[in-house]
Amino acid sequence: MMIFAEVLLPLPIDHPFTYSVPAKLEDRVQKGGRVLVPFGHRRLTGCIVGFSQQPDPQIKIKEIIDVLDETPALNPSLLELTRWVSHYYFAPWGEVLKTVLPGKILPVARRFLRITEEGQRALREGRVRGEQERAILSLLSARSRMSQDSLWKRLGPSSGKGPSLTVLLEKGWIEWEWSNPPLPGEGEEGRISLRGEGPSSGPVSLTPAQREALDQIVETLERGKFRVFLLQGVTGSGKTELYLRAISAALRQGRQVIFLVPEIVLTPRIIEQLKTRFPERVALLHSGLSSAERLREWHRVRNAKVDIVLGTRSAIFAPFTRLGLIIIDEEHDSSYKQEDIPRYNGRDVAIMRAKLTDSVVILGSATPSLESYFNVQRRNYHLLKLPHRVRGLPLPPVEIVDLRRERPTGSSPSLFSGVLLEAMEQRLMRSEQTLLLLNRRGYAPFIQCIDCGFVFQCLNCDLSLTYHRTDRTLRCHYCGLRLKVSDSCPQCKGVRLLPFGLGTQRVEEELREMFRGARIARLDRDIARRQGNINSILEGLREGKIDILVGTQLIAKGHDYPRITLVGVISADLSLNIPDFRAAERTYQLITQVAGRAGRDNLGGEVIVQTYHPHHYALQAARHHDYEGFCERELEYRHRLGYPPFTRIIVIRIEGPNQEKVQEIAHYWGELLQQARKGMGEQVEILGPTPAIRLKIRNKYRWQILLKSPRSKLLSDLIRSVLVKYDSSACKNPNIRINIDVDPLDLL
Ligand SMILES: [Zn+2]
Ligand SMILES: [Zn+2]
């Protein structure tokens, strides 16, 4: 009897395709294994997700060409996980497959045309009649092979296409040739060496809190049961040491480990320590790898040559079969959320993967997200606390400077309060280091004509352009547009154009004027675009070659340098004033994290936060290192307004090039949702449709509808039913995209 396989392909399609299995491959096909199949003009690699009965005999079924795996690429729990991600995040299953097995892991073979011996002869002997046939043969005889597309491109738009090709193929003058079929890539043993030659740190003794936390983790690992620990440890409390010991314990059990960090380039210390403690057992998986490197690392993981994977968000899909422990460092970090399809949160996927594999999860942070804190209260997660820094070091005192009371000394108000200035001077005298945080890159967020009020705006987005003084450009931070700054106002031709507001470049410039001779550096996305830049800055900090480092939130992440004794926050109000219900939480996290960089050694440290809202509870909580106090206050506010974690949110974003059409479809969606909601009572709240706060980005207008409900299942059922109605309605517009964002972190 013939076998049929359901093959999932890496396409934006939600269902698998049916292929028949030729007899010679019957013994080798398996669920989760990769196979090569014909698809249109290509041969694609997909994954078998199941087997089926004889399908509808009317439908023509194609055959699987080859089997690429002896060991399945997707083990059963990983396959199950892809299905969950697809369902939960409203992402086509095929797109999820592409995320889990990216690039060369799912190779594509293309079809080319080439001229045959017979064709060459016919051309030489002038036996080719049709003009177009002759043109095709001449083109092909000049090169070894051509794709069909490039052939038609060369022949020009008016060419009749189809018929001549068929004629030539039938005569045997040309033939199809496939690009090298994708290789399984087994046995590729190349390896990315982990950089960093840090000396092996001697045995560290644990604090009592570390010891107690470790005991609980180890005990759970030994029982081999699913459990989530929330490790809330103040900055410098030795979370990393705890991670390393937990990893050892998991390895002793013969289990494997996935370790996620928000950003690889900013965590050289963790890489170094993993390499020293577990030589030859770590693979790296992150977006900075070339596709060949990624493929190699993937094979090492799949073939169990390593048992630890360190990586960013997508490393949660590492193809381990004996997973036992997942560590998510800085679990509150928003970079765990992917903004493109599938819009998953790596942290939440980790919990699901752990559930499917009976693994232990450690979510670590000095400032865990409110969602995780809430899960502890609901007894879903188990709390482990490290309330003190190691070696008895104190947390740095935090001073809040009320900018309303600052008197400008010169003509214009300074960026730095008197207190901050004095503190920086002291550090320079003592050759200690200062970190200055300003969470906005560029020189100034906008340039305005002070005669007519004109503001330079992006042509593609409805947003002002940020002034970058280093190369005198105006840049859009959303679409990347760059313009040279003009000398006069495009509206009134006036020449009084002034930069307004603050960016890191301006802080850097003012510092250079104020502290001549001081060694000043800057770290933000503009600088961090080159890995080399980051390395030299981190090295500069370590070796004391930098006196003052100014930067965006990149400087708040994980750095641990003994000579940093002062941290200044230029303006806490930047993040506080963002119109998002998470603004207070983000501000609290950012300030606590950056404050944590100070006083990591015996030199002590101090933190100075400048603001116009000195009494805001987020700042007060950061000042008193009071995580729980902050959470309680914030939970009250979220509860009152019905925001997460008390509800789940899904945002439906309607995007398209024509504003009226977008608005029309948004309203149509609003109606469909209202209709479908009838009978659900108060359980689902629908806000909108309204224009998004960032109305236009990359030439696409955006409207949105926000749905809230304490019951997540209700919410997704509602949307699923509306999707079906919309897809079959006459109003459906192919130029308009409906983006569904589940548990969104960005509401602008
Ligand atoms: Zn733009
Ligand atoms: Zn003007």
Side-chain angles (χ1 to χ4, degrees):
M1 204 178 80
M2 193 110 176
I3 308 179
F4 296 90
E6 299 297 316
V7 179
L8 185 63
L9 296 171
L11 302 168
I13 293 171
D14 207 32
H15 59 84
F17 293 83
T18 308
Y19 287 89
S20 62
V21 181
K24 62 175 180 177
L25 295 179
E26 265 178 27
D27 295 337
R28 294 178 56 212
V29 288
Q30 54 186 333
K31 207 168 156 183
R34 291 174 300 164
V35 288
L36 187 65
V37 295
F39 192 85
H41 290 311
R42 294 177 294 173
R43 291 176 172 186
L44 299 179
T45 308
C47 254
I48 297 182
V49 296
F51 295 96
S52 55
Q53 306 294 315
Q54 167 78 53
D56 186 346
Q58 305 289 322
I59 302 168
K60 195 172 161 256
I61 300 282
K62 292 180 183 169
E63 261 188 7
I64 288 177
I65 299 166
D66 203 359
V67 172
L68 304 186
D69 280 316
E70 304 306 325
T71 321
L74 292 180
N75 60 59
S77 64
L78 201 45
L79 184 57
E80 178 70 32
L81 188 69
T82 62
R83 205 194 295 256
W84 178 82
V85 169
S86 154
H87 189 79
Y88 185 81
Y89 292 103
F90 291 89
W93 199 8
E95 287 281 2
V96 179
L97 183 71
K98 225 159 71 179
T99 304
V100 176
L101 302 176
K104 292 190 170 173
I105 302 167
L106 291 177
V108 173
R110 286 174 205 287
R111 210 161 62 151
F112 294 89
L113 285 163
R114 51 176 283 152
I115 188 163
T116 60
E117 293 272 313
E118 196 57 33
Q120 294 280 18
R121 204 172 311 133
L123 190 63
R124 268 200 312 276
E125 294 166 3
R127 282 189 281 122
V128 188
R129 280 203 218 110
E131 192 184 318
Q132 187 172 32
E133 273 106 75
R134 213 164 25 244
I136 292 171
L137 286 180
S138 320
L139 270 173
L140 288 176
S141 74
R143 58 204 83 205
S144 58
R145 61 180 195 182
M146 268 178 108
S147 76
Q148 199 174 337
D149 284 348
S150 52
L151 182 73
W152 294 131
K153 227 172 265 164
R154 291 294 296 264
L155 287 175
S158 59
S159 56
K161 295 201 174 180
S164 348
L165 270 197
T166 320
V167 169
L168 292 170
L169 281 164
E170 269 169 10
K171 286 188 171 162
W173 289 354
I174 60 173
E175 64 185 9
W176 289 112
E177 185 193 69
W178 289 91
S179 62
N180 284 337
L183 294 169
E186 293 283 350
E188 288 191 51
E189 291 301 326
R191 180 165 62 242
I192 299 164
S193 63
L194 292 177
R195 250 172 276 124
E197 293 87 32
S200 166
S201 46
V204 188
S205 59
L206 297 182
T207 63
Q210 281 175 316
R211 166 61 53 202
E212 200 188 312
L214 183 64
D215 286 348
Q216 293 201 45
I217 295 169
V218 172
E219 194 207 333
T220 315
L221 277 169
E222 280 166 358
R223 275 188 285 135
K225 286 270 179 283
F226 164 69
R227 190 163 202 197
V228 183
F229 289 102
L230 180 66
L231 176 64
Q232 196 250 319
V234 299
T235 54
S237 58
K239 288 188 288 291
T240 308
E241 182 59 31
L242 201 56
Y243 297 152
L244 296 171
R245 305 250 181 152
I247 292 173
S248 293
L251 298 187
R252 278 199 303 275
Q253 304 280 320
R255 308 285 294 262
Q256 296 155 324
V257 181
I258 297 177
F259 189 156
L260 296 191
V261 292
E263 216 142 346
I264 283 282
V265 290
L266 293 170
T267 33
R269 288 291 282 268
I270 288 182
I271 299 179
E272 220 165 79
Q273 291 186 21
L274 278 176
K275 186 203 171 191
T276 328
R277 296 275 183 103
F278 310 104
E280 306 293 314
R281 299 178 80 172
V282 187
L284 276 181
L285 283 178
H286 60 95
S287 56
L289 301 179
S290 72
S291 53
E293 287 169 331
R294 205 182 167 100
L295 180 68
R296 272 203 307 269
E297 292 293 89
W298 184 83
H299 276 294
R300 291 177 71 213
V301 176
R302 206 268 308 259
N303 297 339
K305 303 283 182 201
V306 294
D307 26 34
I308 303 165
V309 161
L310 176 69
T312 44
R313 147 182 98 215
S314 65
I316 194 54
F317 300 113
F320 277 142
T321 51
R322 285 178 287 110
L323 190 62
L325 174 65
I326 305 176
I327 296 168
I328 318 279
D329 191 30
E330 308 296 355
E331 69 93 31
H332 65 279
D333 199 290
S334 59
S335 58
Y336 286 123
K337 172 86 165 142
Q338 174 150 304
E339 295 301 332
D340 308 320
I341 300 171
R343 298 184 172 85
Y344 69 97
N345 187 319
R347 177 193 63 203
D348 300 340
V349 172
I351 306 247
M352 183 45 73
R353 185 156 190 203
K355 229 180 237 177
L356 293 169
T357 52
D358 282 323
S359 296
V360 170
V361 182
I362 306 175
L363 305 176
S365 173
T367 54
S369 62
L370 221 57
E371 281 82 356
S372 295
Y373 180 81
F374 190 62
N375 269 314
V376 168
Q377 289 195 332
R378 293 275 163 113
R379 298 181 178 278
N380 296 325
Y381 298 174
H382 187 78
L383 183 66
L384 302 173
K385 280 168 79 166
L386 302 179
H388 306 292
R389 286 188 156 181
V390 292
R391 292 190 286 134
L393 294 171
L395 283 165
V398 178
E399 182 175 354
I400 303 215
V401 174
D402 184 350
L403 288 177
R404 294 171 305 180
R405 288 161 186 250
E406 280 295 312
R407 305 240 175 276
T409 42
S411 53
S412 63
S414 162
L415 304 180
F416 312 106
S417 59
V419 180
L420 183 55
L421 263 185
E422 203 187 310
M424 284 196 287
E425 278 160 7
Q426 280 174 10
R427 291 327 183 277
L428 284 171
M429 268 164 6
R430 302 205 296 249
S431 6
E432 293 171 7
Q433 294 169 319
T434 298
L435 285 191
L436 286 180
L437 173 83
L438 181 74
N439 208 11
R440 188 155 58 198
R441 64 193 170 95
Y443 185 85
F446 63 99
I447 282 197
Q448 193 169 30
C449 165
I450 56 168
D451 291 325
C452 74
F454 177 85
V455 171
F456 285 91
Q457 288 209 311
C458 178
L459 310 169
N460 310 319
C461 314
D462 241 2
L463 297 162
S464 60
L465 291 166
T466 302
Y467 177 43
H468 284 242
R469 187 149 182 168
T470 44
D471 55 359
R472 292 197 31 89
T473 54
L474 287 164
R475 294 192 209 169
C476 175
H477 287 178
Y478 287 89
C479 71
L481 178 87
R482 277 183 198 212
L483 298 173
K484 276 276 168 226
V485 179
S486 57
D487 294 327
S488 59
C489 169
Q491 194 166 279
C492 74
K493 308 293 170 216
V495 291
R496 301 206 289 165
L497 296 169
L498 286 188
F500 281 84
L502 281 185
T504 45
Q505 289 181 7
R506 185 159 157 219
V507 176
E508 185 191 7
E509 189 185 275
E510 296 224 352
L511 284 171
R512 284 188 197 287
E513 270 174 28
M514 215 171 297
F515 301 111
R516 293 180 190 275
R519 295 161 303 176
I520 292 158
R522 174 165 58 89
L523 178 58
D524 53 30
R525 283 267 162 251
D526 297 319
I527 301 277
R529 222 158 264 148
R530 287 209 200 102
Q531 165 81 61
N533 290 347
I534 296 181
N535 290 344
S536 68
I537 285 173
L538 297 184
E539 200 184 295
L541 277 180
R542 190 163 50 238
E543 294 178 357
K545 290 180 191 157
I546 292 175
D547 298 316
I548 304 176
L549 177 66
V550 47
T552 55
Q553 57 180 339
L554 294 185
I555 66 167
K557 296 189 180 190
H559 313 301
D560 181 0
Y561 300 101
R563 296 204 73 80
I564 297 175
T565 60
L566 173 64
V567 166
V569 177
I570 306 273
S571 165
D573 306 334
L574 275 188
S575 61
L576 220 42
N577 291 336
I578 291 171
D580 184 316
F581 73 89
R582 285 194 179 89
E585 187 185 3
R586 298 239 170 89
T587 306
Y588 170 78
Q589 288 167 343
L590 184 59
I591 290 185
T592 304
Q593 293 287 343
V594 74
R597 303 309 122 219
R600 303 290 286 240
D601 209 341
N602 299 328
L603 293 171
E606 108 179 90
V607 181
I608 294 170
V609 179
Q610 304 189 141
T611 177
Y612 284 98
H613 303 283
H615 301 295
H616 194 286
Y617 64 97
L619 302 186
Q620 287 300 328
R623 178 176 163 210
H624 294 111
H625 307 289
D626 183 9
Y627 171 69
E628 267 151 47
F630 171 76
C631 287
E632 291 305 325
R633 179 84 187 256
E634 181 69 10
L635 280 176
E636 233 178 82
Y637 152 77
R638 303 270 182 100
H639 184 70
R640 210 168 52 237
L641 297 179
Y643 276 118
F646 296 95
T647 53
R648 298 306 277 270
I649 287 186
I650 297 182
V651 165
I652 299 169
R653 204 165 279 131
I654 297 109
E655 292 187 11
N658 177 316
Q659 196 177 359
E660 278 89 67
K661 283 272 177 288
V662 169
Q663 189 175 345
E664 191 185 308
I665 297 288
H667 280 111
Y668 181 57
W669 260 84
E671 276 164 38
L672 289 178
L673 286 165
Q674 294 291 357
Q675 278 169 24
R677 191 183 66 146
K678 277 182 194 140
M680 288 184 180
E682 301 289 294
Q683 303 221 52
V684 175
E685 200 180 333
I686 301 175
L687 302 172
T690 51
I693 293 177
R694 298 184 195 121
L695 174 62
K696 183 180 154 202
I697 286 185
R698 294 183 194 88
N699 285 318
K700 295 263 168 31
Y701 290 90
R702 308 152 80 235
W703 276 60
Q704 65 183 32
I705 303 172
L706 191 144
L707 291 100
K708 285 201 288 192
S709 174
R711 295 177 58 200
S712 132
K713 171 95 173 34
L714 214 59
L715 213 52
S716 49
D717 286 351
L718 175 73
I719 292 175
R720 245 170 267 283
S721 73
V722 169
L723 264 176
V724 172
K725 269 191 208 135
Y726 176 71
D727 277 337
S728 59
S729 90
C731 298
K732 182 174 175 169
N733 187 324
N735 294 320
I736 288 183
R737 280 180 49 182
I738 309 291
N739 291 324
I740 297 173
D741 194 351
V742 179
D743 307 330
L745 288 185
D746 182 1
L747 292 174
L748 304 184

